[in-house]
Amino acid sequence: MKILVCISKVPDTTAKIAFKDNNTSYDTNGVQFIINPYDEWYALVRALEIKESQGGSVTVINVGGAENDPTIRKALAIGADDAVRVNTLASDALNTAQNIADYAKKEGFDMVFCGKETIDYNGSQVGGMIAALMDMPYISYASKMNIVESKATIERDIQGGKEVLEVEVPFVLSAAKGMAEARIPNMRGIMAARTKPLNVIEPSNTDYMTEIVGYELPPAKGECRFVDAENPEELIELLRNEAKII
Amino acid sequence: MSIIVYVSTKGGDVLKSSLEAVSYAAQTAETSNQEVVAISVGKVNSMDELGKYGANRLIQVQSSSISSFQPNLIAKAIHEIVKMEGSNLCILSHDLNGKAIAPILSVEMNAGMVTGAVGLPDNSDGFMVRKGVFSGKAFANIKILSENKIVTVMPNSIEKKEFKNTTNVEDVDIELGTPRITVIDQKIASTDVPLPEAEKVVSAGRGLKGPENWQMVEDLAKELGAATACSRPVADMDWRPHHEHVGQTGVAIRPNLYIAIGISGAIQHLAGVNQSKVIVVINTDKEAPFFKSADYGIVGDAFEVVPKLVEAVKRLNA
C-alpha cells in the first residue's frame, strides 16, 4: 500500500496563546511546535503499522514554510519513508487541500490519511476536501481501520453513534482516537530521519477563499465562587437562582 | 434568494444540532430578507419544529442510493439543490455529520468555508464569521472572499430565536450514482442524549477511585437531565466507555452546565470543556488547576458532597 499522510504543524498543547500586530497574527515567540496530535498519533502511526504488516510506503506531506522542516523531520524519525513540503502559507483549507490533492494525483496513492482536525484552527476541512478534489470516498472520524488486499473495514463516528463500513482503495480518511497508540521516535529513527528525503515543491494553487481578519482572546473568567462542602445544597440554589441553568 | 441548510435526521426526527443550524440560517436570512430552505435526505416526521426554528421550505431528497450515511452523495445532493435554488450560502451543523459533508460540498460549490461558527455573519464589510480557534483558547474572525459560501455552526453556541413559519414540503428525486461505501453495521447510542448535544454534563475523574463508585454520578446526571462524561485516565483504565471521554483527544463539548467531580483539570481536559457556559468543580484538592476555570467550586470529598447534591436536586424536582 502506498499511503500519504497529511501532517500539520501546530503549537504544543500547553503553549501560551497570544497575538501580535494588533491581534492580526499569532505570536510564535517562545512557542514550541509539534505535529498535530491527531495527524501523528492516529493517522501516521496507523499508516506505519499497515506498512510494517503489509509492505508499501508512507509519505508525509505538509504545507508551509521552511520553519516547518524540524516538525516534518520528526515524522520521518517516527518512521515515514519520505516527506514533501509544499512551500506556501497554509492559511486557507481549500488552498491547502488543492495543493495536496494536486501532488497526490500526480504520484498516485492507495490511501490518504489526515487527522480529524488540527488543534490550532479546529477546521476538520482538509481531509474531505482532498477526497472531493481527487473524487475519492471520504471516511471521517475513523476510530478503527483494517485492510485486507484492497478492501478496508473502517469504524467511524457519526452523530449519535458509530458505523462499520467497507470501502475499496483508493480513499481518504480522517483519523480519531482509537486508530493507534502514540509512538516515541527512537535514536535509530532520529538518526535515519536526517538523511531521508524531504522534497520541497512549489504550490500548484495560489487562490485563497478565506482570510483571517483578526483574533480575540476570550474574556477573562471571573473568580470561582466557592460553596462550603458542609452545605452543598447552596450550589444547587446558586445554579437555579443565580446562574439560572437548572 | 435563499439560504440552504442541511438537516440530519434520526428516525425521521431532525437532530438538535441541525435545528440550531436552521436557526442560524433563519437569523442570517432575516437581515438580508432571504428564504430559508432546509434539505433532508429522506422523510422528516414533523414540520412544526422546523417552522419554529425558521425554515420556510423543506426539500426532501429521495434517492434510492442513499440508504446509509454517504457524505459524498449527500454533498452532491445538496449541491444540486443549491444550483436549483440559485443560492450561494449553505449552512450545516458542525456536528459529526456536518464535518463529513461540508468539506466535500465546499469543493463541489467551489465555496470558501468557515467551520464551527459561534456567531452570525457580520456583513458590514464583506462576509465575516467568528469561530473558536486554538481549542477554545481564542476566537478568530474569518472573512469568506469567494462568491459561494459555506458556514458550519458549532453546536450549542447560537442563541435561539422563535419563528412562526409554516414549512412547506417538496419531494425531489435526484439520481446520485452508486455509493462507494458499504455500511455493514451501525451502533446508534440508546435514547439518551448524545454527549456532544447535551446541555448539561456531569463528568468524573480518577478522584472517584473506581468504576464501582459511578452510581452517584449517574444519579446526579439523571436528576439534572444531564449526560455523563469522564476524563481520559478513567476511559483509558476502562472504568467508563471511551465515547464518554471528554478532552482534547476525546470529545469536545460546550454544554450550558459542566460539573467536574474529582478531575484536576489538566490542560488537555480543559481544551475539551473550556467553552462550557457554567463550570462547577468538586475536588478535595483546593490547589486543583480546574478551580481557575470554574464558576462555582466545592473543596470537599465527592463521596460526601455528591449524594447531598443528588438529594438537593431531587427536592427541587419534587
Side-chain angles (χ1 to χ4, degrees):
Chain A
M1 288 290 149
K2 198 172 166 190
I3 311 173
L4 181 67
V5 180
C6 308
I7 59 169
S8 183
K9 183 197 77 168
V10 298
D12 182 70
T13 313
T14 55
K16 186 175 158 22
I17 303 301
F19 301 101
K20 57 178 186 178
D21 305 330
N22 200 18
N23 285 330
T24 56
S25 68
Y26 175 57
D27 188 352
T28 58
N29 193 16
V31 171
Q32 180 148 11
F33 286 94
I34 57 172
I35 306 171
N36 181 47
Y38 306 115
D39 305 347
E40 179 189 324
W41 300 346
Y42 306 136
L44 174 59
V45 175
R46 189 71 194 112
L48 292 171
E49 289 169 352
I50 293 165
K51 179 198 140 182
E52 284 155 7
S53 65
Q54 314 187 4
S57 64
V58 175
T59 301
V60 291
I61 188 164
N62 170 264
V63 177
E67 68 280 7
N68 290 9
D69 288 350
T71 311
I72 300 170
R73 289 269 174 220
K74 192 186 166 199
L76 294 171
I78 294 171
D81 298 295
D82 58 346
V84 177
R85 178 168 60 78
V86 184
N87 191 27
T88 186
L89 194 67
S91 73
D92 173 61
L94 200 48
N95 177 279
T96 299
Q98 183 78 59
N99 279 306
I100 294 173
D102 287 343
Y103 168 81
K105 268 187 216 164
K106 214 167 58 196
E107 295 295 318
F109 289 92
D110 298 304
M111 296 182 273
V112 180
F113 289 7
C114 300
K116 67 170 186 177
E117 64 174 275
T118 59
I119 63 166
D120 53 0
Y121 290 96
N122 306 107
S124 277
Q125 301 188 33
V126 171
M129 289 171 171
I130 294 170
L133 290 165
M134 299 182 74
D135 192 25
M136 287 182 186
Y138 176 50
I139 299 95
S140 55
Y141 280 68
S143 52
K144 283 192 183 109
M145 96 74 94
N146 279 301
I147 184 154
V148 178
E149 285 167 7
S150 65
K151 188 194 271 181
T153 307
I154 301 175
E155 186 177 278
R156 71 174 165 191
D157 297 337
I158 59 167
Q159 196 65 11
K162 279 184 180 294
E163 263 181 3
V164 182
L165 58 91
E166 290 176 341
V167 63
E168 293 277 334
V169 296
F171 60 83
V172 180
L173 70 73
S174 79
K177 188 186 174 187
M179 280 282 273
E181 293 293 330
R183 276 188 191 183
I184 298 162
N186 58 26
M187 210 40 179
R188 215 172 113 228
I190 294 166
M191 298 302 284
R194 292 186 187 165
T195 50
K196 283 180 180 171
L198 194 172
N199 301 311
V200 179
I201 59 174
E202 289 308 309
S204 51
N205 178 286
T206 52
D207 291 339
Y208 289 85
M209 313 285 261
T210 57
E211 176 195 327
I212 298 170
V213 180
Y215 298 94
E216 291 163 39
L217 290 170
K221 196 93 181 169
E223 284 282 294
C224 176
R225 176 156 176 187
F226 284 97
V227 172
D228 185 3
E230 295 300 313
N231 186 21
E233 295 81 2
E234 193 195 336
L235 173 69
I236 301 303
E237 179 70 26
L238 286 167
L239 291 177
R240 154 120 339 165
N241 296 321
E242 190 181 83
K244 296 189 188 344
I245 213 124
I246 61 171
Chain B
M1 282 278 266
S2 49
I3 296 178
I4 305 292
V5 52
Y6 170 75
V7 298
S8 297
T9 57
K10 180 176 155 187
D13 294 324
V14 178
L15 299 186
K16 180 170 164 272
S17 50
S18 287
L19 288 172
E20 290 172 2
V22 173
S23 181
Y24 187 96
Q27 293 181 57
T28 304
E30 232 181 358
T31 52
S32 50
N33 208 9
Q34 297 189 78
E35 202 181 32
V36 176
V37 180
I39 303 177
S40 71
V41 173
K43 286 245 176 292
V44 171
N45 291 336
S46 157
M47 293 310 125
D48 296 355
E49 255 186 337
L50 281 177
K52 209 168 77 184
Y53 279 84
N56 300 104
R57 284 156 55 208
L58 170 72
I59 298 180
Q60 295 183 148
V61 176
Q62 311 293 330
S63 175
S64 52
S65 51
I66 312 186
S67 56
S68 55
F69 185 57
Q70 300 285 346
N72 295 66
L73 299 188
I74 296 171
K76 211 183 236 181
I78 299 171
H79 187 212
E80 288 303 318
I81 307 290
V82 164
K83 283 191 284 188
M84 268 161 49
E85 294 287 325
S87 172
N88 58 20
L89 175 60
C90 187
I91 313 288
L92 300 92
S93 171
H94 195 56
D95 62 9
L96 284 164
N97 295 353
K99 286 176 188 178
I101 298 164
I104 303 169
L105 183 62
S106 139
V107 170
E108 295 265 352
M109 285 173 63
N110 194 28
M113 172 157 84
V114 174
T115 53
V118 296
L120 295 170
D122 175 350
N123 292 313
S124 56
D125 174 27
F127 184 99
M128 192 170 81
V129 183
R130 183 178 153 92
K131 71 160 290 181
V133 289
F134 297 102
S135 302
K137 286 183 266 188
F139 296 101
N141 288 310
I142 301 181
K143 246 187 205 178
I144 302 183
L145 308 171
S146 53
E147 198 193 336
N148 288 340
K149 300 169 180 71
I150 298 174
V151 177
T152 70
V153 184
M154 186 61 96
N156 207 22
S157 64
I158 300 298
E159 293 291 328
K160 282 169 213 119
K161 189 171 171 185
E162 190 148 333
F163 290 83
K164 288 193 176 63
N165 295 351
T166 310
T167 308
N168 298 312
V169 190
E170 303 151 50
D171 285 319
V172 175
D173 273 298
I174 301 178
E175 197 34 67
L176 294 166
T178 323
R180 290 177 288 182
I181 292 171
T182 314
V183 175
I184 54 174
D185 191 20
Q186 216 179 34
K187 299 165 200 161
I188 296 293
S190 52
T191 47
D192 301 356
V193 185
L195 188 54
E197 292 179 28
E199 290 185 2
K200 296 173 204 146
V201 174
V202 180
S203 185
R206 248 184 312 195
L208 256 63
K209 297 189 171 72
E212 65 280 7
N213 297 324
W214 243 261
Q215 189 58 48
M216 61 181 188
V217 176
E218 283 173 6
D219 289 345
L220 183 58
K222 186 168 156 254
E223 292 301 327
L224 286 168
T228 53
C230 69
S231 65
R232 176 171 180 159
V234 164
D236 285 351
M237 290 184 288
D238 283 329
W239 291 3
R240 298 296 290 177
H242 275 278
H243 65 78
E244 281 199 0
H245 162 202
V246 291
Q248 183 158 326
T249 47
V251 188
I253 54 171
R254 41 182 307 145
N256 295 336
L257 174 63
Y258 183 72
I259 302 182
I261 304 166
I263 300 175
S264 62
I267 200 153
Q268 290 83 354
H269 185 78
L270 291 178
V273 302
N274 58 11
Q275 293 187 69
S276 307
K277 293 198 180 83
V278 173
I279 295 178
V280 175
V281 172
I282 300 167
N283 207 298
T284 46
D285 177 8
K286 68 177 194 319
E287 303 297 328
F290 216 152
F291 284 120
K292 288 198 179 68
S293 308
D295 299 282
Y296 299 101
I298 297 180
V299 180
D301 183 354
F303 295 100
E304 283 167 26
V305 170
V306 177
K308 284 185 189 164
L309 290 177
V310 174
E311 290 310 313
V313 184
K314 264 188 192 157
R315 279 196 298 277
L316 196 72
N317 290 343

